[in-house]
Amino acid sequence: SIAALDKSWAQLDGDLIKILRNKEAFLYEDGDSKLTYFGDLVPNTFYLKAGYLTAIDTYPMETIIQKKKLIKQAIREKRLCFFSHDMKIGAAFLSGDESNPDIEPVNVNE
């Protein structure tokens, strides 16, 4: 469940927002629809690999731990994931291993 990730999730109008020092992630559920917005935690699909971090990440170990948790949940719950800084893949489903997930792009503009 979402609450099982950890106690640092805040609830706002039924949606969960994760504040991770200088980053945030957003989880949304509506019936069978489950969405994950990774924000700057995973700005594009290149950064899905656990050890791939932005150069300005000041808390790299914390980022790796949170990324793995969110990616594992996205795979397990078949969540549609959004990447705000990816020029080619704006949304995708993830599968496989959370340390190096497979990416199944989805065209959400149709």
Side-chain angles (χ1 to χ4, degrees):
S1 80
I2 295 171
L5 283 173
D6 61 49
K7 293 181 173 133
S8 61
W9 286 91
Q11 194 145 12
L12 178 67
D13 294 331
D15 302 321
L16 289 170
I17 299 172
K18 170 76 171 179
I19 306 298
L20 178 63
R21 299 207 191 221
N22 60 342
K23 299 176 184 70
E24 64 185 26
F26 179 77
L27 301 180
Y28 176 79
E29 293 184 16
D30 183 20
D32 292 336
S33 298
K34 295 182 179 184
L35 312 174
T36 297
Y37 170 73
F38 285 108
D40 288 333
L41 189 64
V42 183
N44 62 52
T45 55
F46 174 82
Y47 293 101
L48 280 167
K49 293 180 181 165
Y52 287 29
L53 307 170
T54 61
I56 59 170
D57 195 325
T58 52
Y59 304 99
M61 296 311 294
E62 191 173 310
T63 298
I64 290 170
I65 290 166
Q66 292 302 324
K67 277 174 53 171
K68 281 186 172 184
K69 286 180 181 181
L70 283 173
I71 292 168
K72 186 175 185 176
Q73 180 184 16
I75 292 168
R76 183 180 65 248
E77 296 181 3
K78 296 177 177 47
R79 292 179 157 272
L80 180 58
C81 302
F82 291 89
F83 308 95
S84 57
H85 299 289
D86 199 306
M87 298 303 288
K88 294 182 180 178
I89 302 174
F93 288 104
L94 306 178
S95 60
D97 178 39
E98 74 267 10
S99 294
N100 185 18
D102 296 319
I103 302 163
E104 303 165 26
V106 174
N107 184 354
V108 293
N109 295 321
E110 293 181 350

